[in-house]
Amino acid sequence: MKKYAEVFRVSFKMQIVWRFDVVMTMAAAAARAIAGWIVWRVIFLGKESVGGFTQDAMLTYYLISSILRSIDFSHHISGEVSYLIRSGRFSGHMVTPVNPLGFFSFMSAGMSAFHLLFSVTAAALCAFAMGINLSFTRDIARILPAAVMIPLGLTFTASFQYLIGVATFKFLEIGFFMYVQWSIIAFVTGSMVPLSLLPSAVLAVLRFIPFTHVIYTPAMLLTGQASAREGLFGLAVLAAWTLMMMPAAHYTYNRLRKKYDGVGI
């Protein structure tokens, strides 16, 4: 475990060097919050609530979702793994005594941990500047499932993106597929619009999809818009998918690596 802790530490410290990335992370979180503030202020004109949300609750949801979206660096995993495989440089990860999935997961976790503080700061500044009365729940039965769901969601997405990346062992170019799945995931995670605004039949299906519980469910719990029972259900769904995804990623890697003709270490 020490070697993975070292990967986390090095990844965390590396972020200090890339200060411009930190600025852009804060700017992206702020931009999403401001865009949501502009759009929903127009929608809420003359209305007290929309889809069960008050204006403050909706804007709080957007602030939370912007934070969670900005600290998810798992999409870097699929791109990095794909590049290393195509360039022949992935060979180095095949001969070192570190599981590649663990390496890239802890590398992504280090990036997420470093950027968390700056994303929260950007969201807090936006809330203050825009005069948003943040609407958070004080119910510990809702806060605890959300607190567990956030790191678990990052673990799931890291495993999923690693699985996508190792598909390059078999397919030369997966760029189009990566772009399509990023667009779909951005919607089903609820980072674009709260999924509760969708028809109930659609939401009933999405409840069993893990991506729904990466951003949407934690944000709904923290704003008090979802019940503790719904939080436990989402946590169970996400945990089950994570327990399936990690072995699937390992199996796919061990199966496809035999076809790899990359050179160089």
Side-chain angles (χ1 to χ4, degrees):
M1 190 63 188
K2 289 184 178 180
K3 53 190 175 184
Y4 297 112
E6 183 64 15
V7 172
F8 177 92
R9 186 185 69 84
V10 172
S11 176
F12 185 92
K13 292 180 67 175
M14 283 180 61
Q15 305 311 305
I16 300 175
V17 178
W18 309 107
R19 289 185 289 271
F20 181 73
D21 286 357
V22 174
V23 174
M24 293 307 297
T25 296
M26 294 183 67
R32 283 191 291 269
I34 293 172
W37 179 75
I38 294 173
V39 171
W40 287 105
R41 274 183 64 87
V42 174
I43 295 176
F44 272 93
L45 285 176
K47 300 178 182 177
E48 293 186 359
S49 66
V50 173
F53 285 85
T54 63
Q55 181 173 302
D56 286 334
M58 179 64 76
L59 294 176
T60 303
Y61 173 91
Y62 259 83
L63 287 174
I64 295 174
S65 65
S66 67
I67 292 172
L68 297 181
R69 184 176 179 181
S70 64
I71 65 172
D72 182 6
F73 289 89
S74 61
H75 57 281
H76 287 245
I77 296 177
S78 55
E80 179 71 7
V81 171
S82 180
Y83 167 74
L84 291 175
I85 292 174
R86 286 185 285 110
S87 65
R89 297 170 58 190
F90 195 83
S91 302
H93 291 282
M94 300 173 72
V95 298
T96 53
V98 178
N99 183 281
L101 173 57
F103 174 86
F104 288 105
S105 296
F106 277 87
M107 179 188 70
S108 177
M111 298 169 67
S112 297
F114 183 85
H115 286 262
L116 176 61
L117 174 62
F118 298 98
S119 296
V120 171
T121 301
L125 290 175
C126 286
F128 176 77
M130 295 182 291
I132 301 174
N133 295 318
L134 297 178
S135 177
F136 291 108
T137 183
R138 297 182 181 180
D139 184 3
I140 193 68
R142 297 178 180 179
I143 295 174
L144 285 179
V148 176
M149 211 174 294
I150 291 171
L152 185 61
L154 294 176
T155 301
F156 169 79
T157 55
S159 301
F160 175 77
Q161 293 295 340
Y162 176 78
L163 178 63
I164 299 299
V166 298
T168 308
F169 280 130
K170 186 174 182 63
F171 305 101
L172 178 62
E173 181 54 56
I174 62 171
F176 176 76
F177 178 71
M178 290 167 59
Y179 176 78
V180 171
Q181 59 97 13
W182 286 342
S183 300
I184 295 175
I185 289 174
F187 177 76
V188 297
T189 56
S191 60
M192 290 183 175
V193 61
L195 300 180
S196 58
L197 300 181
L198 298 176
S200 57
V202 176
L203 186 58
V205 174
L206 293 180
R207 292 175 71 243
F208 294 92
I209 297 177
F211 302 104
T212 301
H213 308 295
V214 173
I215 292 178
Y216 170 72
T217 303
M220 291 288 284
L221 287 169
L222 293 176
T223 55
Q225 298 297 312
S227 66
R229 182 177 180 180
E230 184 65 24
L232 292 176
F233 176 83
L235 184 59
V237 170
L238 186 56
W241 275 94
T242 302
L243 290 175
M244 291 188 291
M245 184 57 62
M246 295 182 71
H250 282 296
Y251 173 79
T252 303
Y253 166 71
N254 290 325
R255 183 179 178 84
L256 296 183
R257 65 179 294 184
K258 301 174 184 178
K259 304 177 182 294
Y260 188 46
D261 293 326
V263 295
I265 296 178

